[in-house]
Amino acid sequence: MDDVVVVGGGIIGAATAYFLSKEGRKVRVIERDPAYKKASFPLSLGGFRRQFFQKENINLGKFALEFISNISNTLKTKNNPNPTASMVPNGYLLLFGPEHAEEQYEALKNHKACDAGTKNINASKLKEVFSWINPEGLETATYTDSKIEGWIDPHMFHNALKNKAIELGAKFEKGDVKKISDIKAKTIVSAAGCWTKELLDDIPVAPQKHTVFRVKCPKHYPEMPLTGDLPSGVYWRPEGKEYLAGSPNSKFDCPDLEPEWDDFESLVWPALANRVPEFEQLKLTGGWAGYYDCNVLDNNAIVGKHPKYENVFLATGFTGRGLMQSPGIGRGLTELITTGKYQTIDLSCFGLDRIFAKQKRTEPYVL
Ligand SMILES: Cc1cc2nc3c(=O)[nH]c(=O)nc-3n(C[C@H](O)[C@H](O)[C@H](O)COP(=O)(O)OP(=O)(O)OC[C@H]3O[C@@H](n4cnc5c(N)ncnc54)[C@H](O)[C@@H]3O)c2cc1C
């Protein structure tokens, strides 16, 4: 019998394998597509932030920075002596209209309690800090400018975690797990992302297709933060000499990952040009689509032990934030598995009880 089997070798699987291996557990990771063609993490925008409503999500975002900043030491291996996640610490800027302002003022109390280091600004003053913005229709905004939020290269981060886990003894194998009961192990961790329901059919997580467009603009702002325009739902960031922009439109029941190209002209470009007048001159240069592991109950993580099994733990439902939460989730699950309770960030609020009681704990700031 195996000691630990992790089903799914994506970013959550790799992070969990790393933390468990560090604690001396013998981990086998089973991944059905080692090229990760449809996995969520390589198709993500790579963003990490602490600008959330709920304290646990804020603290997971803070730990992401701490962890990513140290990987040149912690994830160093013989094969990968200089691990990097190519961090771009440009910060985040979230823009709120009057309809979201009250909620945001409440969220700021949590930012303060968690010492998140975010700044709040009235929309009338926005142009003094971000010269490129049209503040029309906005009431307030929150941002960071001290290199504590930004984005990373998800491939490089995954590679660094996986390499270190392997050096610590983890084995990554190709395999398609059909049923959780097919696995014989002391501990089983389901890290199957948006496909979790195939293994655990009572978990309300579904693949939700999101499209990202790549665009070029004659005017380049390399220092631009990852900006989320809550009134339109569009978000964007610089990518090399271009920009990436996410559509607010999402779809369930899409077996293919063809981007929703029509969204660009009808939704994304108008919203971008409205908020950044220079973006009127955009040219579409490409795009892709990927699946969010959407928790259809409350858009929040589902993490912990499955009460119907003796030995099954799971982590899924991150709804657009699994990459940034992977270090905190990998560490938290390891604490739960090896000591029986969380030792650092208390993740009990993401447990399975609320799911089966259908008690929503909605995190509003989904981009
Ligand atoms: C367009 C887009 C933008 C995003 N932007 C961000 C962002 O800026 N920041 C952020 O933090 N997050 C972002 N995300 C979300 C993030 O990518 C996901 O939340 C995260 O990747 C989830 O990690 P995971 O390991 O659970 O799932 P995945 O990365 O999908 O990995 C799961 C793995 O499990 C394997 N698997 C599934 N079932 C089985 C089985 N039965 N047997 C064997 N293997 C199996 C799959 O092949 C897959 O490789 C974005 C996602 C998308 C699509």
Side-chain angles (χ1 to χ4, degrees):
M1 185 190 281
D2 283 301
D3 180 18
V4 182
V5 168
V6 176
V7 184
I11 198 70
I12 295 291
T16 307
Y18 160 68
F19 279 102
L20 279 166
S21 302
K22 208 154 72 82
E23 290 305 308
R25 300 296 295 260
K26 297 269 164 281
V27 183
R28 189 153 75 92
V29 181
I30 305 179
E31 167 56 51
R32 67 177 162 208
D33 175 21
Y36 299 107
K37 288 189 291 295
K38 287 190 166 180
S40 299
F41 80 86
L43 300 170
S44 87
L45 237 69
F48 64 93
R49 62 176 155 125
R50 67 257 316 267
Q51 294 188 52
F52 286 101
F53 190 97
Q54 293 173 6
K55 288 181 181 168
E56 294 78 7
N57 286 326
I58 298 169
N59 284 329
L60 284 168
K62 286 180 71 179
F63 181 59
L65 173 78
E66 185 188 324
F67 186 81
I68 296 161
S69 303
N70 285 324
I71 66 170
S72 58
N73 287 323
T74 49
L75 301 186
K76 197 191 282 186
T77 63
K78 262 195 187 139
N79 293 340
N80 190 14
N82 300 303
T84 169
S86 270
M87 176 161 50
V88 181
N90 276 22
Y92 262 71
L93 167 64
L94 298 187
L95 306 168
F96 302 91
E99 68 281 17
H100 292 114
E102 279 313 312
E103 191 172 63
Q104 175 57 5
Y105 298 139
E106 280 303 304
L108 285 168
K109 293 180 191 163
N110 289 344
H111 289 198
K112 204 166 170 210
C114 296
D115 196 18
T118 57
K119 294 186 176 177
N120 185 235
I121 185 169
N122 188 277
S124 61
K125 304 242 186 275
L126 259 173
K127 266 184 106 57
E128 292 169 20
V129 186
F130 304 100
S131 60
W132 37 267
I133 217 159
N134 165 25
E136 209 180 296
L138 296 176
E139 181 158 329
T140 186
T142 310
Y143 67 100
T144 57
D145 59 1
S146 48
K147 302 190 186 306
I148 55 177
E149 297 178 306
W151 54 91
I152 56 170
D153 181 317
H155 273 289
M156 293 176 93
F157 186 46
H158 178 265
N159 194 40
L161 281 164
K162 183 176 166 185
N163 259 303
K164 187 67 189 185
I166 290 171
E167 191 178 80
L168 291 168
K171 303 223 173 332
F172 280 67
E173 294 169 10
K174 183 170 176 170
D176 191 356
V177 178
K178 299 290 181 204
K179 286 198 292 203
I180 213 85
S181 56
D182 290 344
I183 298 174
K184 305 292 170 230
K186 213 165 127 193
T187 305
I188 300 171
V189 178
S190 167
C194 65
W195 298 280
T196 298
K197 216 172 179 9
E198 293 173 19
L199 296 170
L200 299 163
D201 64 5
D202 50 6
I203 302 302
V205 168
Q208 185 191 37
K209 184 167 94 169
H210 282 250
T211 298
V212 175
F213 298 103
R214 184 180 292 115
V215 296
K216 211 163 148 169
C217 178
K219 180 80 188 154
H220 194 56
Y221 297 97
E223 72 292 351
M224 197 181 252
L226 199 160
T227 307
D229 182 51
L230 277 285
S232 67
V234 173
Y235 54 97
W236 64 91
R237 69 163 173 82
E239 168 77 349
K241 294 217 153 27
E242 300 192 317
Y243 300 89
L244 299 175
S247 173
N249 201 9
S250 61
K251 275 191 175 172
F252 291 103
D253 302 319
C254 289
D256 72 88
L257 276 178
E258 179 64 17
E260 296 291 320
W261 294 110
D262 291 347
D263 285 2
F264 182 69
E265 191 108 14
S266 62
L267 280 171
V268 176
W269 195 1
L272 290 171
N274 173 49
R275 201 51 78 209
V276 186
E278 299 277 1
F279 282 171
E280 190 61 59
Q281 300 174 61
L282 285 184
K283 183 178 170 225
L284 182 64
T285 59
W288 72 84
Y291 296 122
Y292 273 25
D293 46 336
C294 179
N295 174 351
V296 295
L297 178 73
D298 64 7
N299 286 334
N300 224 336
I302 305 174
V303 183
K305 184 181 167 302
H306 196 303
K308 294 187 191 151
Y309 299 83
E310 278 295 300
N311 59 343
V312 175
F313 295 77
L314 70 146
T316 185
F318 298 103
T319 321
R321 64 193 96 101
L323 180 80
M324 66 182 97
Q325 297 198 332
S326 60
I329 298 299
R331 183 180 67 172
L333 265 185
T334 297
E335 291 164 358
L336 189 64
I337 291 166
T338 57
T339 73
K341 59 181 177 109
Y342 295 113
Q343 305 290 339
T344 50
I345 306 173
D346 185 357
L347 303 174
S348 327
C349 64
F350 299 133
L352 284 280
D353 293 350
R354 88 175 193 286
I355 298 298
F356 298 132
K358 295 204 168 26
Q359 276 165 0
K360 295 185 184 186
R361 196 175 195 277
T362 307
E363 169 58 60
Y365 298 154
V366 179
L367 285 182

